[in-house]
Amino acid sequence: MRITSILIGPVLLWATVAAHAALTGSLIPQNACPAPARYCRAGAPESGLPRDYPPPTFLTHLRIQCTRTLRERFAMGPQTLLGPGFAPRLCRLTSAFLGATPGEWRAVIIAQMRSGNLKQTAAGRQLKRQIKAAVAAQVAQASTTPALATPRSGAGAFGGPRTSANTVIAARLHAVRVAMERTAMRRTGHPVMLPTGVCSAVLTLSPAGRVRQMKRLHCSNEGLQQAFWRAVFSGGPLHLLASPDGRRVDVHVVAPMAEPGVASLR
């Protein structure tokens, strides 16, 4: 998998420095396993090593250095970019596994010191399997969540109990982002990447289904927030949902693709 080939290797060279710090591990996991629990059990790479977990400072420095290194690599090779927030997400995922698998942080340090090429070691291969499992789980979840589904009753209104607010607003958000992408591509002459992330808000609807007010708006970044705002206040009224609290709607949607239109054609 390309993302793991980007990560495993020079990104963790800093681990040799951390090894000299004589860090003392913890008996308490620092993170929850971001994949099925079987992927966070100690395996062959941890054999014979203390089954402890890294201290918080270790994971903090890992995320910082990993993110900095990946961003530098992306700057040297723009064709490898997988999205604006890719580096910190992948580095958080890596630190999550090291903080959830007993002894793995020590196995990674030892492997890096001995070979200088983590990709060719048992610890590196295990970390690669873990990351692939987490990515596969996230992709599977994204493909089934209502936030990414297409509404069954048109793009403008809630079609009844089976069509959720998430479904309708997600479809509108996708359309808005595709339009933004198309406009930017006309200007630049090449594919562009839009901010990705999640947005949530509480909408208050009028009896006619129009959005009167939006409260508790939170988006991963400002660029996505602008698109979300347009999605909420465009496309006509939203019919009330069949519920006692039909005029108050909680919305939570995901924008996972940095190239919403181009990526769907690849």
Side-chain angles (χ1 to χ4, degrees), residues 25-131:
S26 167
L27 297 179
I28 302 175
Q30 299 301 305
N31 299 305
C33 187
R38 66 180 183 275
Y39 288 100
C40 291
R41 299 189 186 118
E46 294 81 42
S47 178
L49 298 177
R51 298 299 174 89
D52 58 3
Y53 302 91
T57 53
F58 179 95
L59 296 179
T60 298
H61 289 300
L62 183 149
R63 287 191 295 269
I64 294 173
Q65 188 62 37
C66 173
T67 300
R68 182 182 302 147
T69 304
L70 280 183
R71 283 176 172 167
E72 289 175 357
R73 294 194 69 185
F74 291 160
M76 291 186 294
Q79 71 279 2
T80 65
L81 281 171
L82 299 179
F86 174 69
R89 288 201 303 271
L90 183 56
C91 294
R92 282 196 299 269
L93 193 59
T94 302
S95 66
F97 280 116
L98 294 181
T101 307
E104 186 170 31
W105 69 296
R106 294 184 182 276
V108 165
I109 290 177
I110 293 172
Q112 186 69 56
M113 291 182 67
R114 286 178 177 173
S115 69
N117 186 354
L118 186 62
K119 187 163 53 176
Q120 304 300 324
T121 67
R125 290 192 294 271
Q126 175 173 287
L127 189 57
K128 180 177 179 178
R129 286 194 299 271
Q130 290 173 324
I131 294 174

Side-chain angles (χ1 to χ4, degrees), residues 199-223:
C199 282
S200 61
V202 178
L203 308 181
T204 302
L205 307 182
S206 71
R210 296 192 178 279
V211 180
R212 280 181 168 175
Q213 194 174 34
M214 181 163 57
K215 297 181 179 180
R216 298 206 292 273
L217 171 62
H218 176 74
C219 291
S220 300
N221 51 74
E222 184 177 353

